[in-house]
Amino acid sequence: MSDGTPADLFFDAAINLLRRLREEEAEAIESAGTLLADTVERGGRLFAFGAGHSSLAAQDVVYRAGGLALMNLLAVPGVVGVDVTPATLGSALERVDGLASAVLGTSPLRSGDALVIISLSGRNALPVEMAQRARALGITVIGVTSVAYAVQTTSRHSSGTFLKDHCDLVLDSKIAVGDAELTLDTIPAPFAPASTVVTTALMQAVLATTAAALADRGIEPPLLRSGNVDGGHDWNTRVMDEYGDRIFYRR
């Protein structure tokens, strides 16, 4: 590791990754924002899914101040976060064939909706099968993944494919295989993951693009305001009442 404190080096690594996204994924971000705006304009619903720590970026765009009220979380019990015990069960469930089909079959997702699937590696059965099945149902799929995994690792899905192979659009997070940005002679393993910082920023960039695209078409973006500012609750009640048929986290 070069000169500088570990904190400085981590910030540098994260900033460099964000700069790469800004420069290298600009077109894909614009396309993703447009796809979501298209979905909203024609009456479709928006969903986000992620397993394990990838779920953090999905949760970050659901029911939050400054965010689109229409973004819903597609939750799979046991794989969203580390709230399941033991935490390793979540990792095991990501590798179970058939789970994604069961989830989609009992979810509100339907043809004409859009689903953002976030998976750092994109190699496990759950995200691959979810993308395959969703597209077969007529759902637009946006994948957020590190394409490097498809080059440097093997798929855990029976098809031998990755999430990126089953999406209408792919956003490459640029995260290196292993998700650890720093090394130190006194520490035996790489450390300091940046995928949450980077993927969360990537998702917010996409939804900012969506909001602007809707406004350009003369459609007021259904945005939520903070409940901690005056008038915030009244604003959110109006938005949720207007779009209640497309908001599922209230039910």
Side-chain angles (χ1 to χ4, degrees):
M1 194 162 67
S2 58
D3 293 338
T5 68
D8 287 338
L9 293 171
F10 177 77
F11 281 126
D12 287 342
I15 290 168
N16 287 335
L17 283 164
L18 291 172
R19 284 176 175 156
R20 284 191 64 194
L21 289 182
R22 183 177 185 177
E23 295 169 3
E24 300 173 21
E25 294 299 297
E27 184 176 346
I29 290 169
E30 185 70 24
S31 296
T34 300
L35 278 176
L36 295 183
D38 291 344
T39 303
V40 172
E41 185 175 19
R42 64 174 179 256
R45 294 89 59 82
L46 309 180
F47 294 82
F49 166 78
H53 285 90
S54 291
S55 71
L56 297 175
Q59 293 178 59
D60 188 61
V61 294
V62 176
Y63 185 52
R64 66 158 304 143
L68 282 175
L70 302 188
M71 185 60 76
N72 300 279
L73 184 68
L74 179 62
V76 179
V79 306
V80 179
V82 292
D83 56 336
V84 64
T85 303
T88 51
L89 174 60
S91 298
L93 289 174
E94 286 187 69
R95 304 175 190 180
V96 174
D97 290 333
L99 179 57
S101 294
V103 169
L104 288 173
T106 56
S107 80
L109 272 155
R110 65 189 183 193
S111 178
D113 292 345
L115 172 62
V116 182
I117 301 176
I118 306 167
S119 174
L120 176 59
S121 73
R123 69 190 297 230
N124 288 310
L126 181 57
V128 174
E129 181 186 326
M130 185 170 289
Q132 285 181 318
R133 180 62 180 153
R135 290 186 79 195
L137 293 172
I139 297 162
T140 298
V141 175
I142 298 173
V144 182
T145 188
S146 171
V147 174
Y149 277 83
V151 178
Q152 300 178 40
T153 70
T154 56
S155 171
R156 289 186 174 132
H157 188 256
S158 58
S159 67
T161 59
F162 288 77
L163 168 62
K164 74 174 186 64
D165 300 316
H166 305 283
C167 299
D168 295 283
L169 181 68
V170 174
L171 296 167
D172 184 1
S173 65
K174 316 293 182 183
I175 299 295
V177 173
D179 193 17
E181 295 298 322
L182 304 183
T183 59
L184 195 62
D185 290 342
T186 55
I187 298 177
F191 61 104
S195 61
T196 302
V197 173
V198 170
T199 308
T200 299
L202 185 54
M203 288 293 294
Q204 291 296 347
V206 169
L207 292 184
T209 303
T210 301
L214 289 170
D216 287 344
R217 302 174 192 187
I219 302 170
E220 180 186 333
L223 298 168
L224 295 174
R225 301 193 69 181
S226 172
N228 295 312
V229 300
D230 292 342
H233 286 299
D234 291 339
W235 174 284
N236 293 341
T237 297
R238 175 184 66 82
V239 170
M240 290 185 179
D241 286 346
E242 183 176 352
Y243 290 94
D245 61 330
R246 293 194 253 175
I247 296 173
F248 296 92
Y249 48 81
R250 297 181 72 191
R251 304 177 187 180

